[in-house]
Amino acid sequence: MNSKKIEILQIVEENARIDINTLSKMVDLTTSEVDALLKELEKEKIILNYSTVIDWTKVEINEKVTAMIDVKVAPKRGVGFDEVAERIYRFPEVKALYLMSGAYDLQVVIEGNTMHQIANFVSEKLSSIDSVLSTTTHFQLKKYKHDGVVFEEVEEDRRIVVTP
């Protein structure tokens, strides 16, 4: 992969809404060249999606409950963790799924409207999968930073320090 593609990827990852004219100036290419490179990166499935980070706590109507579930799995011969991971990520509640090192094998991130809905997902859908040996659920209480975006900037204390 050439350096221009990597440069474009780094810029678009930071700001997916960047104007193509601005992007072309930043990488010193024409807009048609940048457009062609973006289309190529999308076709190659290197750029998978353009996303927006939203602070849902400021939208009273639509606040969701997020949980991280650590899952211990018995991997199957010949397919390892891939088969059970595919079964898990197909559920619409699953927002992310990672193979992890450490005490647990998979980390599943899910969203629901209530804690009860998440509990039902764990007990009825996740735990009923043959390869799943155990789960540990962690509920997200507050989001400080996500995808490099800080949610509440702390104002700098501008008071003068007084010492006796």
Side-chain angles (χ1 to χ4, degrees):
M1 181 173 295
N2 70 36
S3 63
K4 291 295 181 182
K5 281 185 180 178
I6 292 171
E7 196 174 349
I8 288 171
L9 288 171
Q10 289 170 337
I11 294 167
V12 172
E13 182 180 40
E14 187 67 32
N15 179 7
R17 293 188 61 186
I18 191 164
D19 179 72
I20 196 157
N21 293 322
T22 305
L23 181 57
S24 64
K25 289 175 187 170
M26 291 174 77
V27 297
D28 195 30
L29 294 172
T30 67
T31 55
S32 59
E33 289 173 319
V34 169
D35 189 49
L37 285 174
L38 285 170
K39 283 183 174 54
E40 183 181 328
L41 290 165
E42 291 168 357
K43 184 179 178 186
E44 294 173 355
K45 301 244 184 258
I46 294 170
I47 295 178
L48 298 173
N49 194 2
Y50 298 91
S51 64
T52 303
V53 177
I54 298 171
D55 186 352
W56 286 107
T57 62
K58 294 181 179 174
V59 182
E60 296 172 25
I61 210 166
N62 198 0
E63 196 165 348
K64 301 262 187 193
V65 177
T66 303
M68 284 77 161
I69 306 164
D70 297 327
V71 183
K72 192 163 214 43
V73 175
K76 292 189 177 181
R77 185 172 296 215
V79 292
F81 297 102
D82 295 344
E83 185 178 285
V84 70
E86 184 177 350
R87 286 190 64 193
I88 294 170
Y89 71 61
R90 291 189 181 276
F91 291 115
E93 299 91 338
V94 175
K95 299 300 172 199
L97 176 62
Y98 307 100
L99 178 62
M100 306 294 289
S101 65
Y104 290 90
D105 303 309
L106 299 172
Q107 184 177 58
V108 183
V109 180
I110 68 166
E111 279 185 358
N113 293 320
T114 63
M115 291 174 84
H116 186 263
Q117 189 178 31
I118 290 173
N120 282 343
F121 171 83
V122 173
S123 64
E124 295 172 11
K125 295 180 180 177
L126 188 59
S127 295
S128 65
I129 297 173
D130 291 337
S131 299
V132 172
L133 302 175
S134 67
T135 64
T136 303
T137 303
H138 310 274
F139 287 96
Q140 184 183 84
L141 302 177
K142 183 175 181 179
K143 194 180 291 187
Y144 293 99
K145 187 175 182 178
H146 181 78
D147 283 346
V149 178
V150 176
F151 278 68
E152 291 183 24
E153 289 288 339
V154 179
E155 288 189 30
E156 186 179 319
D157 189 356
R158 297 175 187 248
R159 296 179 290 176
I160 299 173
V161 177
V162 179
T163 56

